[in-house]
């Protein structure tokens, strides 16, 4: 069974940090570009960041540049999103996603989605 499972979400104060993990099972994560997306109720799912299969290319939405870092460890079949200096507007359900190419990740042409993990930034 092909699965992406996110973990690491939770409640954090403004200015705090969280690291999200995305573990793949049933397929080889290294064959896919990986993306992180987020969604709040009533709004469209937003692309946060993508990383290419070997990690040589990354992109970030403007609102998280300089604060979030995407990475991957293909040997562990896992990808990560390090989130620093968190703001209340970062509150959302965060989804991990796999796409067959980096460009497809950026354009949200996703092959597999995870189930999501809640991130809440509040004092």
């Amino acid at each position: 069974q092909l699965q992406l499972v996110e973990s690491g979400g939770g409640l954090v104060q403004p200015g705090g940090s969280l690291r999200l993990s995305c573990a793949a099972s049933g397929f080889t994560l290294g064959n896919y570009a990986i993306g992180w997306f987020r969604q709040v109720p009533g709004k469209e799912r937003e692309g946060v960041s993508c990383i290419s299969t070997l990690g040589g290319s990354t992109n970030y939405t403007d609102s998280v540049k300089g604060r979030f870092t995407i990475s991957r460890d293909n040997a562990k079949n896992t990808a990560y999103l390090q989130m620093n200096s968190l703001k209340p507007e970062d509150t959302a359900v965060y989804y991990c996603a796999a796409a067959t190419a980096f460009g497809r990740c950026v354009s949200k042409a996703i092959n597999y989605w995870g189930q999501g993990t809640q991130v809440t930034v509040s004092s």
Side-chain angles (χ1 to χ4, degrees):
Q1 185 179 0
L2 304 175
Q3 266 191 314
L4 289 169
V5 179
E6 303 95 335
S7 61
L11 173 64
V12 63
Q13 291 188 341
S17 297
L18 284 174
R19 188 175 83 153
L20 304 183
S21 297
C22 171
S25 62
F27 67 102
T28 301
L29 198 73
N31 292 336
Y32 293 84
I34 297 299
W36 287 95
F37 297 78
R38 64 188 180 186
Q39 189 169 25
V40 297
K43 290 194 174 180
E44 197 172 307
R45 192 169 294 187
E46 171 192 26
V48 175
S49 181
C50 289
I51 186 168
S52 58
T53 53
L54 297 180
S57 297
T58 59
N59 85 320
Y60 298 90
T61 192
D62 286 345
S63 63
V64 308
K65 284 179 181 176
R67 300 188 298 122
F68 290 12
T69 303
I70 192 170
S71 62
R72 64 191 301 156
D73 185 338
N74 289 341
K76 294 183 178 179
N77 231 27
T78 304
Y80 306 95
L81 184 69
Q82 178 67 44
M83 305 186 295
N84 298 330
S85 302
L86 282 160
K87 304 175 181 180
E89 51 263 43
D90 294 318
T91 296
V93 177
Y94 282 72
Y95 297 89
C96 174
T100 54
F102 180 71
R104 289 178 59 83
C105 180
V106 174
S107 61
K108 300 183 190 177
I110 300 299
N111 295 86
Y112 305 115
W113 289 97
Q115 83 289 348
T117 185
Q118 177 70 45
V119 171
T120 302
V121 185
S122 174
S123 54

